[in-house]
Amino acid sequence: MDTLTHALSGALLARATAPMRPAPGELTSGVRTTVGFVAAAFPDCDFVLRLFDPLTYVTLHRGVTHSIILLPAWALLLAWLLSLILRQRYSWRAIYSTAALGIAIHIAGDVFTAYGTMLLAPFSRHRFAIPFTFIIDPYFTAIIAIGLVAAMLRPQGRRPAVIALLVLGGYVGFQGVLHSHAVKVGEVYAENSGLFEAEVHAFPQPLSPFYWKVIVSHGDDYQVASIDLWRTHSRKPPDPASGILGTWEKIAAGYQPASAAKWIRRGRFGDTDSQRHLAHEAWTQDIFAPFRRFAAFPALNRIEPTGNGVCVSFLDLRFTVPSLPPSLVFGLCRDSPAGPWRLEHKQGLF
């Protein structure tokens, strides 16, 4: 989830849980909303990991700052800092519960995306994910924003915020139903293709809650389809000269009805023997271990000759969108056939 949406969700939850008449020493509605906003943005402070290198950021993002085990400590630290910033007008005790709620709703929001969140850090690096919502979902954000604005128009009322949270929960539940339908599409394809031991996964996509990527995984090979659960007829190709709108139309055209889905084979190590040998050699290098741990559906991106050397790059199929460059592309390069491998980060969409 993007940081702004997280922050707005924290502000909305703070309003929804605000007392009707704050007692002396308790946060006013305005201060409580601000604390919720700041606290819900706080876990993404781990962006500072980018100062080291992109792979460190990608593999450690949503780690210790997103841990439910460390949540009480982060809430305490944040409450203390905000108390100082507010010149101790409010004690850290008055701020603590709102700060904890803000951090908690951030963590919950991230769990419903495909990236994965290390809820048990620092004791475990396992990433928990319930992939119902795309990382940037305008409908998700709009529900929060409308509820927050409505709540602010009624300073002493919290009903609009409560209603917005209920609607938001209903929207996520609806996405869960769509996720089940997308998985079913993959299961039918796997059965019809004789892939009886394959695993089927579905991931939300941008622009519409009805757009899904379905991955049928069997060994080092994947069958991938981008489907539209709403349409029953295939889209027409967009006009190449339609500018920015054409770009959006081109992305949307990549999602076809389940009955007309185009299944594309992707391999972890490519298609030919020469590709597989070189890709496997690069993939198994010790310096590539962080990406191996992170990538849930790794596939060969490309092999590029560079003079006497070569670069081998990989992507994670979770982060590809039709008609757009893939995100989070990493690989290794060497300057000669016998030379050492070094890490390489390819510029992608994000």
Side-chain angles (χ1 to χ4, degrees):
M1 202 71 62
D2 64 279
T3 305
L4 177 59
T5 299
H6 279 310
L8 292 175
S9 70
L12 183 69
L13 181 58
R15 290 303 296 257
T17 56
M20 297 297 292
R21 293 180 179 82
E26 289 187 331
L27 306 182
T28 64
S29 293
V31 173
R32 187 180 180 91
T33 302
T34 302
V35 170
F37 184 93
V38 172
F42 167 78
D44 279 346
C45 68
D46 62 1
F47 77 90
V48 297
L49 292 169
R50 287 193 65 98
L51 297 176
F52 297 93
D53 63 81
L55 186 55
T56 297
Y57 171 72
V58 165
T59 55
L60 296 183
H61 177 48
R62 297 194 188 178
V64 291
T65 59
H66 292 65
S67 168
I68 58 174
I69 293 175
L70 296 178
L71 187 156
W74 294 127
L76 179 61
L77 174 64
L78 197 57
W80 177 71
L81 289 174
L82 290 174
S83 179
L84 291 180
I85 292 172
L86 294 171
R87 298 180 180 179
Q88 297 185 342
R89 189 169 131 206
Y90 298 98
S91 70
W92 68 264
R93 293 178 180 83
I95 298 172
Y96 180 83
S97 61
T98 305
L101 286 173
I103 295 172
I105 198 170
H106 180 123
I107 295 172
D110 276 345
V111 168
F112 284 103
T113 64
Y115 196 94
T117 305
M118 290 184 268
L119 297 179
L120 304 180
F123 302 110
S124 171
R125 285 192 172 186
H126 177 76
R127 290 181 178 272
F128 295 84
I130 306 173
F132 289 175
T133 306
F134 190 66
I135 193 169
I136 299 176
D137 187 323
Y139 304 102
F140 192 99
T141 305
I143 293 170
I144 295 172
I146 291 171
L148 189 57
V149 170
M152 293 177 70
L153 293 176
R154 297 184 61 185
Q156 301 304 319
R158 61 185 183 183
R159 182 176 297 176
V162 173
I163 292 173
L165 286 173
L166 292 174
V167 172
L168 190 64
Y171 177 65
V172 174
F174 172 64
Q175 291 176 311
V177 172
L178 294 177
H179 176 269
S180 297
H181 287 315
V183 169
K184 184 62 178 178
V185 171
E187 289 174 344
V188 170
Y189 171 80
E191 182 177 352
N192 292 339
S193 302
L195 304 173
F196 299 109
E197 296 187 6
E199 295 182 358
V200 179
H201 303 267
F203 299 98
Q205 297 289 277
L207 302 183
S208 169
F210 294 99
Y211 294 170
W212 290 84
K213 174 185 294 177
V214 181
I215 300 177
V216 178
S217 172
H218 46 105
D220 290 330
D221 289 325
Y222 313 99
Q223 300 292 335
V224 185
S226 299
I227 63 172
D228 183 345
L229 293 175
W230 176 261
R231 285 182 173 270
T232 56
H233 301 287
S234 299
R235 289 177 177 270
K236 294 181 180 179
D239 183 355
S242 53
I244 295 178
L245 288 177
T247 300
W248 292 112
E249 291 175 358
K250 192 174 181 181
I251 295 171
Y255 300 94
Q256 299 294 339
S259 59
K262 298 178 180 178
W263 292 90
I264 300 172
R265 180 185 175 278
R266 297 296 301 264
R268 180 176 300 192
F269 303 120
D271 299 319
T272 67
D273 290 339
S274 60
Q275 281 184 330
R276 292 191 188 97
H277 175 76
L278 186 59
H280 186 271
E281 180 183 350
W283 175 258
T284 55
Q285 296 300 306
D286 290 342
I287 57 174
F288 209 48
F291 185 77
R292 289 199 301 272
R293 287 193 298 266
F294 170 77
F297 301 94
L300 178 67
N301 179 48
R302 63 180 57 181
I303 295 177
E304 300 173 283
T306 57
N308 293 327
V310 67
C311 287
V312 182
S313 59
F314 296 86
L315 51 78
D316 190 325
L317 292 172
R318 290 178 296 172
F319 308 114
T320 60
V321 174
S323 303
L324 291 179
S327 299
L328 309 185
V329 179
F330 292 90
L332 301 101
C333 297
R334 63 184 181 189
D335 298 324
S336 66
W341 291 97
R342 66 179 186 278
L343 283 173
E344 184 80 6
H345 172 226
K346 301 291 185 181
Q347 287 297 104
L349 182 60
F350 298 106

